Amino acid sequence: MNPFELLLVEDDADVRDTTRLILERHGFAVRTAADGTEGYALASACPPALAVVDVSMPGMDGLTLTRRLREELSTPVVLLTARDLNVDVVAGLEAGADDYVVKPFDGAVLVARIRAVLRRAHPGSAEPVRLGDLLIDRDAMTIHRGEEEVQVSATEFRLLMLLLDHRPAVLSRTQILRHVWGDSSWGTGRVVDVNIQRLRAKLGTPAIVTVRGAGYKVVDR
């Protein structure tokens, strides 16, 4: 599993879309749900590294969803709440939330809170990764060859981390589309191929291998 894949559960479509874009710009892969029931189903089918959950939702509310995610799936949760009253904060924490952010929130604050929870929930996951002569820093989203930084886009960085986290397994184009772009119906395998080609050119390494008829994988070379 990509350690930076998040589940965003928010019933307000505008807030949901805006928050998803903020998180994706910071390198996260994001799946979204419009209510607690849908969010629970998505998390059960493919547990995320962390869930960002709105408190006030129709049907299964955020506190109930948080409790189920923590007790049944051990999923870390950051709550989004429109109120910062002590009683609401206490209720959220007692439900198992790891942290909370009050709306309207600053995107940088939300991202910082998420990364802090991820570091606690997945110790060691943010350690720099080596691939040949490249040093990859997850938190900073940087890649260095010696003192020189290799410039890649946020999408290319997510793509690289996905392949690294699954090595030496082969990932299909459909799997890559779902994890990197959030929806396997978003585009075609050509989108994956083009981004792989760009990433290879920027990294200057043969470590990303094409497996004909299957997909891509990373090997240590």
Side-chain angles (χ1 to χ4, degrees):
M1 181 186 68
N2 184 340
F4 289 157
E5 182 176 72
L6 309 181
L7 173 63
L8 170 63
V9 189
E10 165 65 65
D11 65 318
D12 186 304
D14 291 336
V15 174
R16 185 171 63 248
D17 291 342
T18 300
T19 305
R20 176 181 57 80
L21 290 173
I22 290 171
L23 296 175
E24 288 178 343
R25 281 200 298 268
H26 283 83
F28 296 105
V30 183
R31 287 180 291 153
T32 62
D35 56 51
T37 301
E38 182 186 7
Y40 179 75
L42 288 175
S44 298
C46 184
L50 178 145
V52 180
V53 177
D54 181 40
V55 171
S56 300
M57 294 186 292
M60 185 189 298
D61 63 35
L63 296 181
T64 301
L65 175 59
T66 295
R67 190 174 294 108
R68 297 190 67 178
L69 290 177
R70 295 298 287 143
E71 292 178 355
E72 300 175 23
L73 302 175
S74 299
T75 301
V77 175
V78 172
L79 283 176
L80 299 180
T81 175
R83 298 175 293 180
D84 61 351
L85 298 176
N86 287 339
V87 64
D88 296 315
V89 173
V90 170
L93 297 177
E94 287 184 343
D98 297 84
D99 206 343
Y100 71 95
V101 176
V102 178
K103 298 178 183 177
F105 55 81
D106 182 281
V109 171
L110 176 61
V111 169
R113 296 286 183 88
I114 288 172
R115 285 181 169 161
V117 173
L118 284 171
R119 283 193 294 270
R120 296 196 301 268
H122 304 277
S125 65
E127 291 296 317
V129 177
R130 284 202 172 274
L131 179 65
D133 60 350
L134 298 171
L135 184 64
I136 303 157
D137 188 319
R138 294 178 186 270
D139 278 350
M141 288 183 62
T142 58
I143 303 172
H144 282 86
R145 175 178 285 111
E147 297 298 320
E148 177 186 359
E149 182 174 349
V150 180
Q151 300 290 336
V152 299
S153 70
T155 297
E156 291 163 349
F157 190 86
R158 290 199 304 271
L159 175 56
L160 176 60
M161 294 314 305
L162 177 67
L163 293 171
L164 282 170
D165 291 332
H166 286 80
R167 61 179 167 181
V170 178
L171 295 183
S172 69
R173 290 170 175 82
T174 299
Q175 289 174 311
I176 293 172
L177 278 170
R178 184 174 68 248
H179 285 282
V180 175
W181 282 269
D183 186 351
S184 60
S185 66
W186 185 89
T188 67
R190 181 60 182 163
V191 173
V192 176
D193 296 339
V194 168
N195 279 272
I196 288 284
Q197 291 169 10
R198 290 174 179 166
L199 187 57
R200 281 173 171 160
K202 291 180 179 181
L203 298 181
T205 174
I208 302 176
V209 175
T210 302
V211 180
R212 188 175 298 276
Y216 296 97
K217 68 176 181 178
V218 162
V219 296
D220 292 310
R221 290 182 171 176

